[in-house]
Amino acid sequence: MPPLWSGRFDVDPDKDVFAFGKSLGFDRRLFEDDVTGSLAWAEALVRAGVLSAADAAAIASALEEIREQGLWEPAFFDGAEDEDVHALVERKLVERIGDAGRRLHTGRSRNEQVSVDLRLYLKRRVPALQAAVARLVAALADRAEAAGDALMPAYTHLRRAQPVLVAHFFLAHAAACRRDHARLAAVLGEADELPLGSGAVAGTSYAIDTAWLARRLGFSAVVANSMDAAGDRDFVSSFLHACALAQVHLSRLAEDLILYTGEEFGYFELADAVATGSSLMPQKKNPDPLELVRGKAGRAIGHLTGFLAAMKGLPIGYSKDLQEDKEALFDAEDTLAGTLGAATTVVATLALNAEAAAAASAGLLLATDVADYLVARGVSFRRAHEIVGGLVRRLVREGRDFASLSLDEWREASDLFDANIAAHITPRASIEARRTPQSTAPDAVRAKLEDVKAWVAAHGGV
Ligand code: ARG
């Protein structure tokens, strides 16, 4: 079968160059959406008085049949030489019903067809990614709940900073994941405009009721400008960005868990089922799945930057460069789905080593609480910081921490320290002293946990 545009040319296309331009190998993933768009387009043509009801009925039943075969018969695509999925569907249609099939493309361009297909595809597939994000949030909430009142150190600059509840740590990652979910929802909003009616670039000269067609296909609006619509892939870029940033969050979660499950930290233990061994060193329990979760962020970021680079020099309207959108989009989707699945399993099976985590949350990382103690007794924060800094210098020199100080030693630093100082300077007292709703105060964390659980229940529950 010659290409859809062969009439204009004296000779057949060069085989290799044609193969270079073919997208069927990957855009067949849009097959179902292409048929959906074509079914609606046939109805719109009838309403515009361009297509007879009889032709439309023949087109509809043939397209339905094509859809069933394409979805369920593995051999359907075998040996297809078509340039892209749009050409394939049209060829199958013409093979079945002849001339009526040749009328379907009236007033329509593949430029708008590929756009509507991609938009329908995202509307169909993004909710599955959102559900996978919600499953990870549920697993994080579950670990937060199971951790109870266990403590661990929080880090800044990867140096022990202040004690926090282990639950606070899990909910921190859940907060980032919830933003990923919202970002994917925004992508759906951006994809939610009907491009059909734009023609190749200037609009169509047939009386297509675009408002009706938008409703028929589940879009809430029609694009504003046909020239813009032909080359607008902002919704693809936004999707790639949402995927890349979600992968960055997953990578940071993975990095935390790689560190905290290692010998040097030991706050958590990886389940055997999600760890790997070494072919050489019998003692090794490696976090390969987490390392891959971390590593996959690179390719997701690459898809975003690569596609933005492909877009940046394009003149307004359609250019074939835009065909590069699909492999980036599909791989970003597959990568995110796979990464979310692995990360969720690792989190769900993580065991807490409460003693090690608690032990690491005591010690000099209570210095800020000592300064706050002096501030409560009228010392300016800067002065208090200086006094405690001096005390810390001494403790470091002597290899001790606050818990070992006698009252006399406290008072050498400041006579504002009272006998109650020891009770104030513990990891538990530190977290209980927090006052703000986003803090690690136990009441605040409990409230956030309830909020996250309610969110999970409202987003598919698990
Ligand atoms: N396969 C093409 C793409 O992915 C479909 C649109 C082709 N349009 C064109 N004028 N060649 O963008």
Side-chain angles (χ1 to χ4, degrees), residues 251 290 452:
S251 176
L290 286 172
V452 172

Side-chain angles (χ1 to χ4, degrees), residues 5 21-23 26-27 83-86 109-111 114 233 318-326:
W5 32 261
K22 261 181 79 164
S23 54
F26 46 87
D27 70 9
E83 188 182 4
D84 55 29
V85 69
H86 325 293
S109 155
R110 281 183 298 158
N111 299 351
V114 69
R233 293 293 181 277
Y318 179 86
S319 302
K320 185 81 164 201
D321 315 47
L322 292 169
Q323 183 164 287
E324 288 293 301
D325 58 4
K326 280 170 282 297

Side-chain angles (χ1 to χ4, degrees), residues 334-381:
D334 293 345
T335 301
L336 183 56
T339 311
L340 282 166
T344 301
T345 304
V346 172
V347 168
T349 55
L350 205 58
L352 171 65
N353 181 356
E355 291 84 74
S361 70
L364 293 177
L365 73 180
L366 299 171
T368 316
D369 301 280
V370 180
D372 287 337
Y373 181 97
L374 292 174
V375 169
R377 280 150 189 81
V379 182
S380 74
F381 182 75

Side-chain angles (χ1 to χ4, degrees), residues 1 39 69 96 105 142 174 180 182 211 245 251 363 374 413 439 443 452:
M1 175 105 174
L39 281 165
Q69 289 180 355
R96 278 170 180 71
H105 209 54
D142 197 55
D180 295 328
L245 193 46
S251 176
L374 292 174
S439 74
D443 284 348
V452 172

